[in-house]
Amino acid sequence: MSAYLRIDHVGKTFRRGSQETEVLTDITVGVERGEYVSIIGHSGCGKSTLLNIVAGLMSVSQGAVLLENREVNEPGPDRAVVFQNHSLLPWLTVYDNVRLAVDKVFGATKSRKERHAWTVHNLELVQMGHAKDKRPGEISGGMKQRVGLARALAMEPKVLLLDEPFGALDALTRAHLQDSVMAIHQKLGNTVLMITHDVDEAVLLSDHIVMMTNGPAARIGEVLHVPLARPRKRLELVADSTYIKCRQRVIEFLYARHKTPQLLAAE
Amino acid sequence: MNVTVLKAETARAVPLTPAAVVRFQPPKPNLLTARILPALSMAAARVLPPLIMLALILVVWELLCSKPTATLPAPTKIWKEAYDLIVDPFFVAGPQDIGLGWRVLTSLQRVAIGYGFAGIIGIALGTIIGQSVWAMRGLDPIFQVLRTISPLAWLPISLAAFRDSQPSAIFVIFITSVWPIIINTAVGIRNIPQDYRNVALVLRLNHFEFFTKIMIPAAAPYIFTGLRIGIGLSWLAIVAAEMLTGGVGIGFFIWDAWNSSRLSDIVVALAYIGGIGFVLDRIVAMVATVVTRGTAAN
């Protein structure tokens, strides 16, 4: 069997002069179509490196990334990224930021009118239609992240890559945005790969949680299936036994068993 | 003490009853007191100090140069001797006897051509150097040496190459103002955040789209810093270049006035040069604030 998106025995080694740093070792993850998969680990363990490899922004040292059984090794709109710091172009309005992506991806297949409608549609989807003529400098951090999400969704990617998309936001804004992402995932059935370091976020949003050991030479420590039915409600889940158990599992891994297996054996 | 308290109480008591009348009045005085007066006082706070300083300088100058043995003309003497130059910038009394406005325009035309070329070529070269590590390694040291050469040192070379004074003067403007534009553009391009590059990569922007949609807007603040330094330098260089090449410009006017000992005319010309230089700098700065509005917000 082969998954929709397959990260197949991927390893990454950085070379600086004669010095070699192994960041990722033998990472294998499969993401099915429509699935929401989170990668969690301590900072510096190479999560972002892994996401950049899937996005095609970095090359692999070993292994390969396969999307629909075809190797991907350069960036493209079929794997749209929502960057941690939004990465909106500050000289363009909210609308133009999304329109740039729409024009680039659908320039040949959609008419000018359709592209306009599609841009507005995606801004409405993230509830940002009201601010379409503002510049990124004039809207809040949470709103910027929404626009970043709209830009990524507008590309109609096969896989949506989220690089700690809520990391820089305050807790309330973050919860609000998580709900939006859940609703959009429910509605559109996107395949999502998300990087996070927030346990609650991972359990709440994901179907599978991939837990990574600490670097250097980080590998996959454990993959946890989250058997919670959708749509999920934040309030109801707080007391849900499955939710609590999953949460416990992840925290236990992150704080007790996060070291590399070799080091654990030596202890 | 008692008396003042009583006075205050009566004064306070009076306006309480006709309060309804007061309410009808506000619109008119509002415009004057809330808009015009503060604006005037703001303008006065900006304009008055330099005017007072200027007056002080003129008075000191007048005192220092009023002796009969003074080597430089006093302001009153300048006013008398160069009256026609000061009052009418655009008179034409003969082929070489024209107002300073005409001369400045001729100089500005040369600057416009030379600076225009410097802008286009400077941004283009700066982009290449900022984008390519090898172009930077190869060209940057050469540029760093070339940019220290005085504008006038280029003049003989350009005279020899072009065999005419007009293109030579323009070349000197170009070669003076191009370096800061190249260097600042290169720094701006090199400092484009990796995030924007990643966006371009994910969107698969081609080179042309990347240049127009990401590089130029992202580097605009740096480019305009270069352009602003460049316009200042080119205005500095034109005067020197025209002194040597001759013709109609403001630079040659100063040289000509010196040769015929018209010191007052020179002082007036200096005031013109300073004023025009200031205006040029303001214009580029204004264009910069308009163009880089979005970029600066981040």
Side-chain angles (χ1 to χ4, degrees):
Chain A
M1 69 136 230
S2 64
Y4 187 59
L5 170 74
R6 206 163 52 155
I7 303 168
D8 198 359
H9 300 284
V10 161
K12 178 72 186 171
T13 310
F14 284 112
R15 282 190 188 80
R16 175 174 280 179
S18 59
Q19 234 178 7
E20 287 191 5
T21 324
E22 198 177 6
V23 181
L24 298 172
T25 314
D26 198 25
I27 304 279
T28 301
V29 178
V31 182
E32 293 302 333
R33 194 177 200 137
E35 220 180 11
Y36 200 118
V37 174
S38 293
I39 297 173
I40 196 167
H42 286 272
S43 62
C45 76
K47 315 186 283 286
S48 286
T49 307
L50 183 59
L51 191 97
N52 281 337
I53 286 172
V54 178
L57 296 168
M58 275 182 193
S59 60
V60 291
S61 304
Q62 292 102 39
V65 176
L66 294 113
L67 180 61
E68 289 185 311
N69 287 321
R70 286 163 81 169
E71 185 176 0
V72 286
N73 46 20
E74 55 177 13
D78 55 342
R79 282 151 291 130
V81 189
V82 177
F83 296 96
Q84 186 174 4
N85 51 355
H86 67 79
S87 295
L88 298 177
L89 304 176
W91 51 87
L92 296 180
T93 62
V94 161
Y95 174 86
D96 286 334
N97 263 290
V98 180
R99 183 66 190 262
L100 178 67
V102 173
D103 282 348
K104 194 57 201 162
V105 177
F106 299 107
T109 52
K110 284 189 178 176
S111 73
R112 181 176 287 268
K113 226 174 179 176
E114 284 172 323
R115 276 178 277 153
H116 168 75
W118 181 241
T119 306
V120 173
H121 169 78
N122 277 285
L123 281 172
E124 300 287 355
L125 199 62
V126 296
Q127 293 140 39
M128 283 302 294
H130 60 93
K132 70 185 179 61
D133 294 322
K134 293 210 165 121
R135 284 167 197 270
E138 299 163 348
I139 58 178
S140 70
M143 288 159 103
K144 283 181 209 165
Q145 211 51 276
R146 281 176 188 274
V147 178
L149 185 63
R151 177 173 65 184
L153 288 170
M155 297 181 214
E156 274 195 333
K158 290 175 178 162
V159 182
L160 188 59
L161 303 174
L162 308 179
D163 186 3
E164 292 191 37
F166 318 118
L169 304 175
D170 65 274
L172 291 174
T173 313
R174 191 186 307 167
H176 209 66
L177 214 60
Q178 285 165 353
D179 291 342
S180 293
V181 168
M182 265 198 291
I184 289 167
H185 177 237
Q186 188 75 23
K187 193 172 163 191
L188 305 178
N190 318 76
T191 310
V192 186
L193 185 66
M194 177 177 79
I195 302 290
T196 183
H197 53 232
D198 183 328
V199 178
D200 285 302
E201 181 173 293
V203 179
L204 181 67
L205 296 175
S206 322
D207 298 310
H208 284 98
I209 302 174
V210 177
M211 296 175 240
M212 282 175 71
T213 64
N214 276 10
R219 51 179 73 234
I220 291 174
E222 193 181 329
V223 180
L224 177 73
H225 177 57
V226 184
L228 289 168
R230 289 178 189 273
R232 300 174 181 171
K233 295 259 161 53
R234 183 184 303 273
L235 274 174
E236 291 164 15
L237 287 178
V238 173
D240 188 287
S241 64
T242 319
Y243 179 83
I244 294 170
K245 235 159 70 194
C246 289
R247 202 172 168 277
Q248 217 168 11
R249 241 346 235 292
V250 179
I251 291 178
E252 204 181 271
F253 176 86
L254 285 178
Y255 296 98
R257 300 190 288 120
H258 59 266
K259 290 176 185 160
T260 53
Q262 295 95 311
L263 288 174
L264 274 176
E267 263 173 21
Chain B
M1 280 296 275
N2 262 340
V3 179
T4 48
V5 170
L6 262 176
K7 259 189 177 173
E9 272 174 356
T10 45
R12 213 178 291 154
V14 174
L16 275 176
T17 29
V21 182
V22 179
R23 266 187 202 158
F24 285 102
Q25 283 178 338
K28 271 189 187 171
N30 252 359
L31 196 82
L32 187 73
T33 51
R35 286 280 187 88
I36 298 173
L37 281 182
L40 277 178
S41 70
M42 275 278 283
R46 288 282 182 84
V47 174
L48 276 183
L51 282 183
I52 293 168
M53 281 317 290
L54 185 65
L56 274 176
I57 290 168
L58 285 176
V59 167
V60 172
W61 180 4
E62 182 71 43
L63 289 175
L64 285 176
C65 297
S66 55
K67 272 183 268 172
T69 54
T71 49
L72 295 176
T76 45
K77 195 178 166 202
I78 293 169
W79 179 259
K80 258 182 277 164
E81 287 184 0
Y83 182 75
D84 54 340
L85 284 177
I86 298 169
V87 174
D88 185 5
F90 292 105
F91 69 84
V92 181
Q96 269 301 325
D97 191 11
I98 56 174
L100 281 178
W102 294 116
R103 295 181 184 276
V104 163
L105 281 182
T106 319
S107 298
L108 276 178
Q109 194 191 355
R110 291 190 182 124
V111 168
I113 299 171
Y115 180 68
F117 276 118
I120 293 164
I121 294 173
I123 292 173
L125 273 177
T127 307
I128 295 169
I129 294 175
Q131 267 298 88
S132 150
V133 177
W134 285 105
M136 189 194 79
R137 284 184 194 163
L139 290 172
D140 194 57
I142 298 172
F143 287 169
Q144 294 293 349
V145 171
L146 287 180
R147 79 186 172 92
T148 62
I149 297 171
S150 154
L152 286 186
W154 288 102
L155 196 61
I157 298 275
S158 60
L159 277 173
F162 294 108
R163 302 194 175 274
D164 189 11
S165 66
Q166 178 76 355
S168 305
I170 290 171
F171 176 76
V172 169
I173 302 299
F174 165 79
I175 206 78
T176 311
S177 54
V178 78
W179 309 117
I181 300 175
I182 293 178
I183 291 165
N184 279 286
T185 305
V187 171
I189 298 286
R190 225 174 297 156
N191 282 353
I192 294 176
Q194 187 59 41
D195 297 331
Y196 300 166
R197 293 180 187 275
N198 285 347
V199 170
L201 285 170
V202 170
L203 288 177
R204 288 205 183 130
L205 296 183
N206 59 37
H207 286 293
F208 178 72
E209 287 167 326
F210 182 61
F211 179 74
T212 55
K213 300 219 156 107
I214 309 262
M215 271 209 296
I216 291 298
Y222 292 89
I223 294 175
F224 272 100
T225 306
L227 287 175
R228 221 176 138 184
I229 301 172
I231 193 77
L233 286 180
S234 57
W235 190 238
L236 287 181
I238 186 70
V239 175
E242 282 175 349
M243 278 190 179
L244 298 180
T245 57
V248 178
I250 188 89
F252 180 70
F253 173 82
I254 291 179
W255 193 241
D256 193 39
W258 163 244
N259 282 331
S260 40
S261 327
R262 286 179 280 124
L263 279 179
S264 300
D265 291 4
I266 296 180
V267 175
V268 176
L270 291 189
Y272 264 88
I273 293 171
I276 299 291
F278 178 74
V279 170
L280 286 178
D281 183 66
R282 290 283 95 193
I283 289 173
V284 178
M286 258 168 54
V287 174
T289 33
V290 172
V291 173
T292 63
R293 189 176 23 154
T295 326
N298 210 28

